[in-house]
Amino acid sequence: MNAVDLGVNLFVALFALLDPIGNVPIFAAATAGASLRQRITVSAMICAFAAVFLGFFFFTGLGLLQFFGISLAAFRIAGGILLLLLGLDMAREDFLKIFADADAVTDAKDVRGYAKRRFKRLIVPFAIPLMIGPGAISAIIIQAGEAEKLGFAGTVASLIAMGAACVVTFLCFAATGPISRILGDVGMAIVVRVLGLILCALAIQFILMGLGEALPGMISSGVTAPYPSGGH
Protein backbone atom coordinates (compact mmCIF):
# COMPACT_ATOMS: atom_id res chain seq x y z
CA MET A 1 0.00 0.00 0.00
CA ASN A 2 1.38 3.41 -0.97
CA ALA A 3 0.67 6.78 0.66
CA VAL A 4 -2.12 7.69 -1.77
CA ASP A 5 -3.98 4.43 -1.15
CA LEU A 6 -3.56 4.92 2.58
CA GLY A 7 -5.00 8.44 2.41
CA VAL A 8 -7.96 7.43 0.25
CA ASN A 9 -8.80 4.47 2.47
CA LEU A 10 -8.63 6.61 5.60
CA PHE A 11 -10.82 9.32 4.07
CA VAL A 12 -13.51 6.81 3.03
CA ALA A 13 -13.44 5.16 6.46
CA LEU A 14 -13.67 8.48 8.32
CA PHE A 15 -16.48 9.76 6.11
CA ALA A 16 -18.50 6.64 6.89
CA LEU A 17 -17.70 6.76 10.60
CA LEU A 18 -18.24 10.51 11.10
CA ASP A 19 -21.49 10.09 9.12
CA PRO A 20 -22.09 13.81 8.47
CA ILE A 21 -25.20 13.18 6.35
CA GLY A 22 -26.81 10.97 8.98
CA ASN A 23 -25.99 13.51 11.72
CA VAL A 24 -27.53 16.47 9.86
CA PRO A 25 -30.98 16.06 11.52
CA ILE A 26 -29.39 16.17 14.98
CA PHE A 27 -27.30 19.21 14.07
CA ALA A 28 -30.43 20.85 12.64
CA ALA A 29 -32.30 20.30 15.92
CA ALA A 30 -29.34 21.63 17.90
CA THR A 31 -29.19 24.84 15.83
CA ALA A 32 -32.90 25.40 15.24
CA GLY A 33 -33.64 29.10 14.86
CA ALA A 34 -30.02 30.03 14.21
CA SER A 35 -28.98 32.27 11.37
CA LEU A 36 -26.81 30.97 8.55
CA ARG A 37 -23.70 32.64 9.99
CA GLN A 38 -24.37 31.21 13.45
CA ARG A 39 -24.89 27.71 12.05
CA ILE A 40 -21.74 27.91 9.91
CA THR A 41 -19.70 29.11 12.90
CA VAL A 42 -20.94 26.27 15.10
CA SER A 43 -20.22 23.68 12.41
CA ALA A 44 -16.74 25.16 11.88
CA MET A 45 -15.95 24.90 15.60
CA ILE A 46 -17.20 21.31 15.82
CA CYS A 47 -15.28 20.20 12.73
CA ALA A 48 -12.11 21.98 13.88
CA PHE A 49 -12.43 20.18 17.21
CA ALA A 50 -12.90 16.89 15.35
CA ALA A 51 -9.76 17.50 13.26
CA VAL A 52 -7.67 18.30 16.35
CA PHE A 53 -9.08 15.34 18.29
CA LEU A 54 -8.43 12.89 15.46
CA GLY A 55 -4.93 14.30 14.97
CA PHE A 56 -4.23 13.87 18.67
CA PHE A 57 -5.13 10.19 18.54
CA PHE A 58 -3.21 9.73 15.30
CA PHE A 59 0.02 10.79 16.97
CA THR A 60 -0.57 9.54 20.52
CA GLY A 61 -3.31 6.87 20.36
CA LEU A 62 -1.21 3.73 20.61
CA GLY A 63 1.11 5.24 23.20
CA LEU A 64 -1.84 6.51 25.24
CA LEU A 65 -3.50 3.11 25.37
CA GLN A 66 -0.19 1.49 26.31
CA PHE A 67 0.46 4.09 29.01
CA PHE A 68 -2.85 3.32 30.71
CA GLY A 69 -2.49 -0.41 30.07
CA ILE A 70 -5.63 -0.53 27.92
CA SER A 71 -5.83 -3.05 25.10
CA LEU A 72 -7.53 -2.17 21.82
CA ALA A 73 -10.03 -4.95 22.55
CA ALA A 74 -11.02 -3.33 25.86
CA PHE A 75 -11.29 0.02 24.13
CA ARG A 76 -13.61 -1.45 21.50
CA ILE A 77 -15.86 -3.04 24.16
CA ALA A 78 -16.07 0.11 26.30
CA GLY A 79 -16.76 2.31 23.30
CA GLY A 80 -19.32 -0.16 22.01
CA ILE A 81 -21.25 -0.09 25.29
CA LEU A 82 -21.28 3.72 25.26
CA LEU A 83 -22.51 3.77 21.66
CA LEU A 84 -25.16 1.15 22.46
CA LEU A 85 -26.64 3.32 25.22
CA LEU A 86 -26.64 6.32 22.91
CA GLY A 87 -28.22 4.32 20.08
CA LEU A 88 -31.01 3.06 22.37
CA ASP A 89 -31.84 6.63 23.34
CA MET A 90 -31.96 7.64 19.69
CA ALA A 91 -34.19 4.73 18.69
CA ARG A 92 -36.63 4.78 21.63
CA GLU A 93 -37.08 8.41 22.64
CA ASP A 94 -37.45 11.85 21.14
CA PHE A 95 -33.70 12.16 20.99
CA LEU A 96 -33.70 15.50 19.18
CA LYS A 97 -35.15 17.34 22.19
CA ILE A 98 -32.01 16.92 24.29
CA PHE A 99 -30.06 18.90 21.67
CA ALA A 100 -32.58 21.71 21.35
CA ASP A 101 -31.44 25.16 22.38
CA ALA A 102 -33.19 26.10 25.61
CA ASP A 103 -32.63 29.80 24.91
CA ALA A 104 -34.37 31.17 21.86
CA VAL A 105 -32.12 32.91 19.40
CA THR A 106 -33.08 36.57 19.62
CA ASP A 107 -30.03 38.28 18.17
CA ALA A 108 -28.87 36.99 14.80
CA LYS A 109 -25.78 39.21 15.08
CA ASP A 110 -24.58 37.38 18.20
CA VAL A 111 -22.58 34.89 16.17
CA ARG A 112 -19.59 34.27 18.43
CA GLY A 113 -21.52 34.07 21.71
CA TYR A 114 -24.15 31.74 20.26
CA ALA A 115 -21.50 29.52 18.66
CA LYS A 116 -19.61 29.18 21.95
CA ARG A 117 -22.77 28.21 23.87
CA ARG A 118 -23.81 25.64 21.28
CA PHE A 119 -20.30 24.25 20.93
CA LYS A 120 -20.04 23.60 24.68
CA ARG A 121 -23.43 21.88 24.59
CA LEU A 122 -22.57 19.72 21.57
CA ILE A 123 -19.10 18.44 22.52
CA VAL A 124 -20.78 15.55 24.37
CA PRO A 125 -22.64 13.54 23.19
CA PHE A 126 -22.72 14.92 19.62
CA ALA A 127 -19.03 15.41 18.76
CA ILE A 128 -18.06 12.57 21.11
CA PRO A 129 -19.07 9.76 20.85
CA LEU A 130 -21.72 10.21 18.11
CA MET A 131 -19.36 11.65 15.50
CA ILE A 132 -15.99 10.57 16.88
CA GLY A 133 -16.74 7.18 18.40
CA PRO A 134 -14.62 4.09 18.99
CA GLY A 135 -14.79 3.26 15.29
CA ALA A 136 -13.19 6.53 14.19
CA ILE A 137 -10.59 6.42 16.96
CA SER A 138 -9.78 2.77 16.27
CA ALA A 139 -9.45 3.53 12.55
CA ILE A 140 -7.08 6.41 13.31
CA ILE A 141 -4.93 4.32 15.63
CA ILE A 142 -4.73 1.43 13.17
CA GLN A 143 -3.93 3.77 10.27
CA ALA A 144 -1.23 5.44 12.36
CA GLY A 145 0.56 2.11 12.48
CA GLU A 146 0.29 1.76 8.70
CA ALA A 147 1.44 5.34 8.12
CA GLU A 148 4.49 4.76 10.28
CA LYS A 149 5.63 2.07 7.85
CA LEU A 150 5.48 4.58 4.96
CA GLY A 151 7.33 7.29 6.83
CA PHE A 152 6.75 11.00 6.19
CA ALA A 153 4.61 10.43 3.07
CA GLY A 154 2.23 8.20 5.02
CA THR A 155 1.88 10.80 7.77
CA VAL A 156 1.14 13.59 5.29
CA ALA A 157 -1.39 11.47 3.40
CA SER A 158 -3.16 10.58 6.64
CA LEU A 159 -3.33 14.19 7.82
CA ILE A 160 -4.72 15.30 4.44
CA ALA A 161 -7.35 12.55 4.63
CA MET A 162 -8.39 13.61 8.14
CA GLY A 163 -8.60 17.25 7.09
CA ALA A 164 -10.62 16.40 3.98
CA ALA A 165 -13.10 14.32 5.99
CA CYS A 166 -13.62 17.19 8.43
CA VAL A 167 -14.06 19.72 5.59
CA VAL A 168 -16.72 17.55 3.93
CA THR A 169 -18.44 17.20 7.31
CA PHE A 170 -18.40 20.98 7.71
CA LEU A 171 -19.98 21.44 4.28
CA CYS A 172 -22.76 18.98 5.13
CA PHE A 173 -23.53 20.76 8.41
CA ALA A 174 -23.38 24.16 6.72
CA ALA A 175 -26.13 22.95 4.34
CA THR A 176 -28.32 21.89 7.24
CA GLY A 177 -30.95 24.57 6.54
CA PRO A 178 -32.03 23.35 3.09
CA ILE A 179 -31.79 19.70 4.14
CA SER A 180 -33.93 20.20 7.24
CA ARG A 181 -36.54 22.11 5.24
CA ILE A 182 -36.76 19.24 2.76
CA LEU A 183 -37.05 16.55 5.45
CA GLY A 184 -39.29 18.43 7.87
CA ASP A 185 -39.73 17.52 11.55
CA VAL A 186 -41.21 14.11 10.81
CA GLY A 187 -38.53 13.23 8.29
CA MET A 188 -35.74 14.24 10.67
CA ALA A 189 -37.26 12.20 13.49
CA ILE A 190 -37.44 9.14 11.22
CA VAL A 191 -33.83 9.55 10.12
CA VAL A 192 -32.65 9.85 13.73
CA ARG A 193 -34.52 6.71 14.79
CA VAL A 194 -33.11 4.73 11.87
CA LEU A 195 -29.65 6.09 12.67
CA GLY A 196 -30.16 4.96 16.29
CA LEU A 197 -30.94 1.43 15.13
CA ILE A 198 -27.83 1.39 12.92
CA LEU A 199 -25.78 2.78 15.80
CA CYS A 200 -27.00 -0.03 18.09
CA ALA A 201 -25.97 -2.63 15.50
CA LEU A 202 -22.59 -0.92 15.06
CA ALA A 203 -22.11 -0.89 18.83
CA ILE A 204 -22.83 -4.62 19.07
CA GLN A 205 -20.33 -5.16 16.27
CA PHE A 206 -17.65 -3.29 18.22
CA ILE A 207 -18.40 -5.30 21.35
CA LEU A 208 -18.24 -8.59 19.44
CA MET A 209 -14.97 -7.58 17.77
CA GLY A 210 -13.51 -6.67 21.16
CA LEU A 211 -14.65 -9.95 22.70
CA GLY A 212 -13.28 -11.83 19.68
CA GLU A 213 -9.87 -10.22 20.24
CA ALA A 214 -9.95 -10.73 24.01
CA LEU A 215 -11.26 -14.31 23.82
CA PRO A 216 -9.84 -15.82 20.64
CA GLY A 217 -11.70 -18.90 19.50
CA MET A 218 -14.75 -18.20 21.66
CA ILE A 219 -16.63 -16.19 19.03
CA SER A 220 -16.94 -17.17 15.39
CA SER A 221 -14.98 -15.02 12.95
CA GLY A 222 -18.12 -14.83 10.82
CA VAL A 223 -19.75 -12.83 13.61
CA THR A 224 -16.88 -10.47 14.36
CA ALA A 225 -16.05 -9.77 10.70
CA PRO A 226 -18.79 -7.78 8.95
CA TYR A 227 -17.82 -9.12 5.53
CA PRO A 228 -16.17 -12.53 5.80
CA SER A 229 -13.88 -13.27 2.89
CA GLY A 230 -15.44 -15.66 0.43
CA GLY A 231 -18.83 -15.37 2.10
CA HIS A 232 -22.12 -14.88 0.25
Side-chain angles (χ1 to χ4, degrees):
M1 177 184 295
N2 56 35
V4 175
D5 291 337
L6 178 70
V8 171
N9 291 343
L10 181 57
F11 171 78
V12 173
L14 285 179
F15 181 79
L17 292 166
L18 294 177
D19 193 16
I21 298 176
N23 286 324
V24 160
I26 299 174
F27 185 77
T31 56
S35 67
L36 179 60
R37 287 184 60 196
Q38 289 172 329
R39 183 170 282 143
I40 288 177
T41 305
V42 174
S43 61
M45 293 177 71
I46 290 175
C47 293
F49 169 79
V52 172
F53 194 82
L54 291 173
F56 171 79
F57 270 95
F58 178 78
F59 288 107
T60 66
L62 287 174
L64 198 62
L65 293 182
Q66 291 173 359
F67 177 79
F68 287 105
I70 302 172
S71 67
L72 192 56
F75 182 81
R76 289 184 191 273
I77 295 172
I81 293 173
L82 187 61
L83 277 181
L84 179 61
L85 296 175
L86 184 61
L88 289 173
D89 284 338
M90 293 173 66
R92 291 166 44 187
E93 301 174 6
D94 190 359
F95 186 71
L96 295 178
K97 285 185 178 179
I98 70 173
F99 292 97
D101 192 358
D103 301 323
V105 180
T106 56
D107 186 6
K109 295 182 180 179
D110 182 23
V111 176
R112 183 174 299 180
Y114 174 82
K116 287 182 178 179
R117 292 193 302 271
R118 287 285 81 197
F119 176 69
K120 291 178 182 178
R121 177 66 184 83
L122 293 175
I123 291 178
V124 178
F126 182 70
I128 304 171
L130 191 56
M131 279 180 57
I132 310 172
I137 296 175
S138 299
I140 286 294
I141 293 175
I142 293 170
Q143 290 293 331
E146 295 296 324
E148 189 176 358
K149 300 175 184 177
L150 299 175
F152 180 74
T155 300
V156 172
S158 298
L159 293 177
I160 292 175
M162 286 187 284
C166 291
V167 169
V168 172
T169 300
F170 164 75
L171 294 176
C172 290
F173 289 164
T176 292
I179 295 175
S180 61
R181 284 194 294 272
I182 293 173
L183 290 177
D185 293 338
V186 175
M188 288 195 297
I190 292 173
V191 171
V192 169
R193 289 179 182 272
V194 173
L195 180 61
L197 179 60
I198 295 174
L199 197 62
C200 287
L202 185 62
I204 296 296
Q205 190 69 52
F206 283 134
I207 294 173
L208 290 174
M209 290 174 66
L211 291 174
E213 295 174 3
L215 304 170
M218 294 293 292
I219 299 178
S220 170
S221 59
V223 176
T224 58
Y227 303 103
S229 59
H232 297 281

